Amino acid sequence: MMKKLNLMLLLAAVSAASHAQDDGVTPYRPSVSSPAQLPTPGQLEFETGYLGSKADGDRRASLPYTFKLAFNEQWGVLLGGEGYVSERVDGGPRQRGVGDTTLVLKRAFVIDSATAFGLELGAKIPTAKDTIGSGHPDYTLNGIYSQDLGAVHMDANLNVTRLGGAQPDSGRAQTGWATSFSVPTGERWGLIGELSGTHVRQQPNTAQLLLAATYSVNKNLVIDFGAARGLTSASQDWSLFSGVVLPLAKLW
């Protein structure tokens, strides 16, 4: 159960590859932590990719996606989920279908060009069948602190999730944390490192280390790829991912 929760956190949090670019896309991929900054107001952005993971005898592959739209510099919404999931648990029959859907309302508090805070209120809608998802809604409140430290950009997240499908012998509140650092390594390339984890009462903690690279084809197209390694027995063994961020339309 905790392995699936950690994987869902990776998908739901839809995270930061770098801070905002003027009139360009604002990547939230591929890390767990989200940036405080919002995309360019009125610009509908789309993120998608591939995520494959292994946890003991379990195998899972999915196509995560996120639509992002900022109404102004303070408010925005995110709609995301998994367009397709293929999963095999403990050598059992393979399960296929759509995954759960997440809806997030986001508030950004921009202090200056280097510092910002953010709040996200999210709900997971159980659109996946029970053999893939939990079959219950979850609700998450996420606090964000983003800071430029010279050339290095940091995003720190602390969140709590009310689990609709908690196990009978565990708590219904899951706390999560994530801290990522991203740095440009050239005109187009960047590197990301991140530590993240979750805690549920009477359940073993999860933790993972994520390393990724990004390549900016131009300011409106960013490609990412990388891997994550579980650091505890309750975490997935490893995961591999790749994806892309691009604008779909300028609505206003």
Side-chain angles (χ1 to χ4, degrees), residues 19-20 48 53 69 85 100 113 117 123 152 161-162 187 196 207-208 221:
H19 49 82
T48 189
S53 65
L69 178 64
V85 177
D100 290 325
S113 60
F117 294 88
V152 178
T161 300
R162 183 186 182 278
E187 183 178 349
S196 64
Q208 72 169 19
L221 179 61

Side-chain angles (χ1 to χ4, degrees), residues 24-100:
V25 293
T26 305
Y28 282 20
R29 288 185 53 85
S31 56
V32 173
S33 55
S34 296
Q37 292 87 352
L38 288 161
T40 302
Q43 178 170 278
L44 179 62
E45 294 186 7
F46 179 60
E47 303 186 352
T48 189
Y50 167 82
L51 173 64
S53 65
K54 173 186 176 294
D56 296 330
D58 302 347
R59 300 290 191 277
R60 197 175 198 275
S62 68
L63 302 177
Y65 68 90
T66 303
F67 294 92
K68 313 194 306 282
L69 178 64
F71 305 122
N72 49 44
E73 294 183 352
Q74 291 79 39
W75 292 95
V77 293
L78 295 83
L79 178 67
E82 296 172 292
Y84 180 75
V85 177
S86 176
E87 183 177 64
R88 186 190 297 273
V89 178
D90 291 332
R94 183 171 297 278
Q95 302 293 328
R96 297 180 176 87
V98 299
D100 290 325

